[in-house]
Structure formats: C-alpha cells, structure tokens
Amino acid sequence: SQQGEEDPQALSIQEGENATMNCSYKTSINNLQWYRQNSGRGLVHLILIRSNEREKHSGRLRVTLDTSKKSSSLLITASRAADTASYFCAFGGADGLTFGKGTHLIIQP
Amino acid sequence: DTAVSQTPKYLVTQMGNDKSIKCEQNLGHDTMYWYKQDSKKFLKIMFSYNNKELIINETVPNRFSPKSPDKAHLNLHINSLELGDSAVYFCASSQGYRDAFFGPGTRLTVL
C-alpha cells in the first residue's frame, strides 16, 4: 500500500504550545502536501513541499521533508484554538493524491 | 465564489437504489477527483479524470461510475447502493497533479 502513516493519531496540547505531526510514506513522490479538515467540513490545502525541497514555511506552519527517510513533519507554532482539526499528509502522483490516516489535533484553551 | 461545489450535501437513501452526486469546479482546473472518507476518517481516492483520461482505483466497485459532461464537472453515479457505501464523498480538482481544492463533501447514508 502507498498509504502514508501519520504519527501521532491524536494530539492534545495547550493553546500557545507548538504542535508537531509526522508522516511517513513508502514510495517515491513528486511532492508532499498537508491538508487540514475541520469537523464536518472539506479539506483545505495548507502547504506543498516538492521532493527536491527540505523545508518550507507558511505563516505559523513549517514543513520538513526527508526523502532518505521517506518522512515529513508539520510544525504549527504558537497554536490557537482555531487550529483544532484533523491534519492529513498527502503524496502527489499521476493518479491523484494518496492520503495518510491523519492526526487529530485538539488545542485546549 | 465557491471553487468546488457538490450537491447534495446530505443524501439518505434505501439499499438497492441508484443515486448521483454532482460536482462542479470554477477554477479552470484540468483534473478532477472523487474521494471517499469512511467513518474512521480514512480518505481513499476513487477516480481521477484528466483530459478525458479516467484513472480508476481498482478497489472501487463497478457500481460506481464517474461522468464528465465537460471539464468543469465530474459527477458520481452509484448503482445498487449497499450499506457499506455509507460515507462522505469529496470531489476535488487540481491543475495537473499539484495541490487540490476540495468540495464540502456529500454525506451518503444508505439504510
């Protein structure tokens, strides 16, 4: 299976703390993307990192990619209550995106 | 303006029925997709459609069929609905194989 594995499955932290989620995959990829899904809503694209990139920033988000270890991490700094959601990594390919199982993040006020 | 829209948002129907979910994107993207999200939140691609080329996930039953009347639409038809088809179905679009824009989802419940 090309499906990714995300770790942890669930994470609960205090508002203001940093949240780190990890994603591992098995095959070679063109790019890796992170999406957020609020409860009962569709997915929202957060950030895309290409296979030849090692780190990318977008606001409070920082994504790293280690192709030798086939892993990526998403760091959300200074978390807010509104960051509570499920976060999915996804791998770009010719037949569409393959998603990981997701990390459910809860930010406690 | 809504980028990717789906109708209906909720669909409750009896086992054995045939139903359709519509999807439209106004982003000018050349690739559209259907994904299924099960009760455990696992997202699985069902179809991708690019320039009249359809790529089918081999695990999808042939009761499911996508129909694309034009580049902006990719509708999902489901025949002989089964209990296990209950899930949330997401339509998405992208330009090539880059970041995808998702619709709000259609929650299908088969009774």
Side-chain angles (χ1 to χ4, degrees), chain B residues 22-98:
Chain B
K22 294 185 177 181
C23 176
E24 177 182 3
Q25 56 98 2
N26 63 7
L27 298 166
H29 287 165
D30 61 4
T31 306
M32 295 185 74
Y33 313 86
W34 277 103
Y35 287 84
K36 177 181 179 181
Q37 187 173 42
D38 61 24
S39 58
K40 295 182 179 179
K41 304 296 183 186
F42 174 45
L43 271 157
K44 178 179 165 183
I45 188 164
M46 302 176 70
F47 305 100
S48 69
Y49 190 81
N50 176 301
N51 194 27
K52 299 185 181 180
E53 180 187 7
L54 177 65
I55 298 175
I56 303 171
N57 184 322
E58 60 187 11
T59 65
V60 175
N62 57 15
R63 297 181 294 104
F64 290 79
S65 58
K67 297 282 195 300
S68 180
D70 54 60
K71 275 183 62 174
H73 296 84
L74 185 66
N75 304 324
L76 182 65
H77 297 272
I78 316 170
N79 295 326
S80 302
L81 278 157
E82 300 178 358
L83 294 176
D85 298 333
S86 295
V88 181
Y89 292 83
F90 288 99
C91 176
S93 73
S94 69
Q95 183 60 30
Y97 301 112
R98 296 171 57 187

Side-chain angles (χ1 to χ4, degrees), chain A residues 3 31 33 35 37 41-43 45 48 88 93-97 99, chain B residues 33 35 37 41-43 45 48 55 90 97-100 102-104:
Chain A
Q3 177 189 335
N31 61 65
Q33 304 173 35
Y35 288 80
Q37 184 179 32
R41 308 291 292 273
L43 285 88
H45 179 260
L48 180 154
F88 294 87
D95 53 352
L97 293 171
F99 281 85
Chain B
Y33 313 86
Y35 287 84
Q37 187 173 42
K41 304 296 183 186
F42 174 45
L43 271 157
I45 188 164
S48 69
I55 298 175
F90 288 99
Y97 301 112
R98 296 171 57 187
D99 45 303
F102 281 76

